Amino acid sequence: MKAFRLEELEAERAANEGAYLQFLRERHMSVGLYALDKGAQDPQTPHGQDEVYFVVSGRAAVTVGEETTQVARGSVVYVPAGVRHRFHHISEDLRVLVVFSPPES
């Protein structure tokens, strides 16, 4: 078993001064913590893997392809591989668990 505490992951991510911290990588998936502060710009480009976002905290809009929706704590968003997507209008610091399948390259 592997177990993680969100506050420890957030501290590690912040210490490494990056917006993304991959904390689990297995044969068929990887999992990371993505952080965007209020007002930040999301620089993402399409990925070669399917993704699932689970919003842990914060508020923003997310656009996937041509569709836009509001997200907040508890929201889950699926992004197919190769589709343009980004978070925007971030009104509260955003913390998101990201699951990639297959693992992010």
Side-chain angles (χ1 to χ4, degrees), residues 36 40-42 59-64 67-71 85-91 94:
L36 292 166
Q41 298 295 314
D42 183 0
R59 290 187 178 279
V62 64
T63 298
V64 178
E67 296 181 82
T68 299
T69 191
Q70 299 297 312
V71 294
H85 60 285
R86 69 180 180 93
F87 292 97
H88 51 95
H89 295 94
I90 302 166
S91 60
L94 194 62

Side-chain angles (χ1 to χ4, degrees), residues 3-73:
F4 305 92
R5 289 187 169 33
L6 188 59
E7 59 274 1
E8 292 170 2
L9 295 172
E10 175 63 14
E12 183 179 348
R13 185 205 56 79
N16 288 315
E17 299 180 5
Y20 184 72
L21 171 72
Q22 182 182 109
F23 61 88
L24 179 66
R25 184 180 180 85
E26 296 295 333
R27 186 169 153 212
H28 296 291
M29 65 175 222
S30 61
V31 183
L33 176 64
Y34 190 41
L36 292 166
D37 291 337
K38 179 179 177 178
Q41 298 295 314
D42 183 0
Q44 290 193 79
T45 57
H47 305 286
Q49 306 84 2
D50 288 343
E51 295 176 79
V52 173
Y53 291 114
F54 173 75
V55 178
V56 176
S57 62
R59 290 187 178 279
V62 64
T63 298
V64 178
E66 300 299 320
E67 296 181 82
T68 299
T69 191
Q70 299 297 312
V71 294
R73 182 174 170 247

